[in-house]
Amino acid sequence: MVLRTAFTDLMGVRHPIASAPMGGTAGGALAAAVSEGGGLGLVGGGRADADWVERELTLVTERTENPWGIGFLAWGATVPVLELALSFRPHAVVLGFGDLRPFIEPVKSSGTTLIIQVTDMAEAEQAIALGADVIVAQGTESGGHGARNGRSTLTFVPAVLDRAGSIPVLAAGGIADGRGLAAILALGAAGALMGTRFQASLEALGDPYIGKAIVEAVGEDTERSDLLDIVRDAGWPSEYTARTLPHPILDEWRGRGAELAVDEEAKQAYHRGVERGDLPPTPVWASEAVDLIASLEPAADLVERLAAEAEAALARAAGRGSE
């Protein structure tokens, strides 16, 4: 069985898998490895500055000739940095989380595939109106940032599919093994965008404690909150919260976000704690699917294994056993 979908045809990749453009984690090495494995590797441009983008995109172009892309947070990115990224001729640009309109024309005029990530139906409608070539429908099981008042992947993805028509839809949120990939393909999605699973890969950027923490965690450990954004003055719009592993700030300030927002001494104490090593240097963004992640692996191997697992799961569901 070959998992051929509208997404694999559009992007020219072997497998209907994309790695999420995770800020601080998805650099050029990770994106290149995913692309070499047959998926679509995405660099996490986020709010990155021009030097970072240039360095990581130079790396990805040196390491793969397969399709790759880059993602940006609309609320924090700038058009000049987007245009710099486009000069490297990515095969796709992912936009989400904020006012996308300033970024649409540069992407469209470059001929680059426009992928828009959405967290609710209003954003899905906007993505359609803006001419998205691919839509990513993100459920609240996802690690990192998503809708404060969103929906689960299982119900949100079909709703977006029903509105998207011929636009390919990728599912995101709580997908970390081949069974999850098979499930969203059965729903009608054209593939999966996976974050936490690739955060626990050998090529991911960041402190090694992050991958270790993900491997050791279970889904019940994760919590969606805005407290870690508030204490860090991270600037995220209030409509988005983030799912993370446990953190002392969550225990200390749960239910008191408004109080924390105006407590400058508490914020300074947090930064002093990070500097001393008493607190983790960064939150560990993690989805509810951490139970399904048991090891750190090379990203290219992960792509191949996930695709093979999905093929086997779909074959079982069709009553064909391991054929």
Side-chain angles (χ1 to χ4, degrees):
M1 178 187 298
V2 176
L3 299 178
R4 180 178 178 181
T5 70
F7 175 73
T8 62
D9 287 348
L10 176 65
M11 297 309 309
V13 296
R14 294 197 309 275
H15 305 304
I17 295 170
S19 57
M22 301 168 286
T25 297
L30 176 55
V34 170
S35 293
E36 285 294 287
L40 180 68
L42 295 168
V43 174
R47 293 173 288 166
D49 62 25
D51 289 341
W52 190 95
V53 168
E54 184 167 17
R55 181 178 69 249
E56 297 303 322
L57 296 194
T58 297
L59 184 60
V60 73
T61 56
E62 289 173 347
R63 296 195 178 187
T64 187
E65 296 182 355
N66 293 336
W68 59 274
I70 183 169
F72 290 101
L73 301 172
W75 67 267
T78 64
V79 171
V81 175
L82 169 66
E83 291 174 337
L84 170 64
L86 289 170
S87 73
F88 283 83
R89 301 179 64 83
H91 295 76
V93 167
V94 183
L95 300 173
F97 302 106
D99 183 4
L100 311 182
R101 291 171 296 178
F103 307 98
I104 299 300
E105 194 280 329
V107 177
K108 285 289 191 179
S109 64
S110 73
T112 305
T113 298
L114 173 63
I115 302 176
I116 295 180
Q117 183 162 330
V118 304
T119 65
D120 59 30
M121 287 306 296
E123 290 182 350
E125 295 287 357
Q126 180 190 55
I128 294 167
L130 290 174
D133 298 307
V134 178
I135 294 173
V136 177
Q138 181 194 33
T140 55
E141 300 95 325
S142 62
H145 289 84
R148 179 182 293 272
N149 298 308
R151 297 163 59 180
S152 72
T153 303
L154 186 64
T155 61
F156 185 45
V157 170
V160 175
L161 282 164
D162 287 347
R163 285 292 298 118
S166 61
I167 304 171
V169 174
L170 302 183
I175 306 164
D177 67 3
R179 294 170 297 179
L181 175 57
I184 61 94
L185 291 174
L187 286 176
L193 182 103
M194 301 187 191
T196 306
R197 175 60 273 193
F198 287 105
Q199 193 172 8
S201 67
L202 297 181
E203 294 85 358
L205 298 174
D207 194 292
Y209 86 91
I210 294 174
K212 183 175 184 291
I214 290 171
V215 168
E216 294 176 351
V218 296
E220 288 86 348
D221 294 335
T222 69
E223 179 176 347
R224 183 169 287 282
S225 172
D226 60 0
L227 291 174
L228 288 165
D229 288 334
I230 293 171
V231 77
R232 295 180 306 127
D233 284 324
W236 271 88
S238 61
E239 59 263 37
Y240 304 112
T241 57
R243 185 175 298 281
T244 69
L245 293 185
H247 192 286
I249 290 294
L250 301 181
D251 295 332
E252 181 179 358
W253 290 92
R254 190 174 290 107
R256 297 192 292 146
E259 181 182 346
L260 177 60
V262 296
D263 192 331
E264 295 304 317
E265 172 54 33
K267 295 176 185 179
Q268 293 171 14
Y270 164 81
H271 290 293
R272 290 194 297 268
V274 171
E275 291 172 0
R276 291 192 305 266
D278 298 335
L279 295 172
T282 60
V284 180
W285 320 111
S287 86
E288 291 182 354
V290 289
D291 308 70
L292 310 179
I293 301 172
S295 62
L296 302 178
E297 301 176 44
D301 293 348
L302 271 175
V303 174
E304 298 283 4
R305 180 169 64 76
L306 292 166
E309 288 176 355
E311 291 174 9
L314 291 170
R316 286 195 303 272
R320 296 197 300 270
S322 60
E323 296 176 10

